[in-house]
Amino acid sequence: MATSSFNKDFTLNTKKAVESFERIISTPKKGIKIDRNLVSAEKERRGKQKLKQILSR
């Protein structure tokens, strides 16, 4: 469950914190490749049906 009390403001008050933040920001994200051939038409149909059922509640 999401919470609205999360504080998005933060302060980098040490050199180590700044270096760590800089390293995280500058590191490229690795993409995840999805093999679309693994999904059959029947599985896709069932997935759509289940999603509709969940969203209709």
Side-chain angles (χ1 to χ4, degrees), residues 7-21:
N7 185 359
K8 295 177 186 174
D9 297 329
F10 65 95
T11 305
L12 301 173
N13 53 8
T14 65
K15 185 177 180 179
K16 185 176 179 181
V18 172
E19 290 171 352
S20 177
F21 181 73

Side-chain angles (χ1 to χ4, degrees), residues 16 26 36 54:
K16 185 176 179 181
S26 65
R36 301 282 182 196
I54 290 170

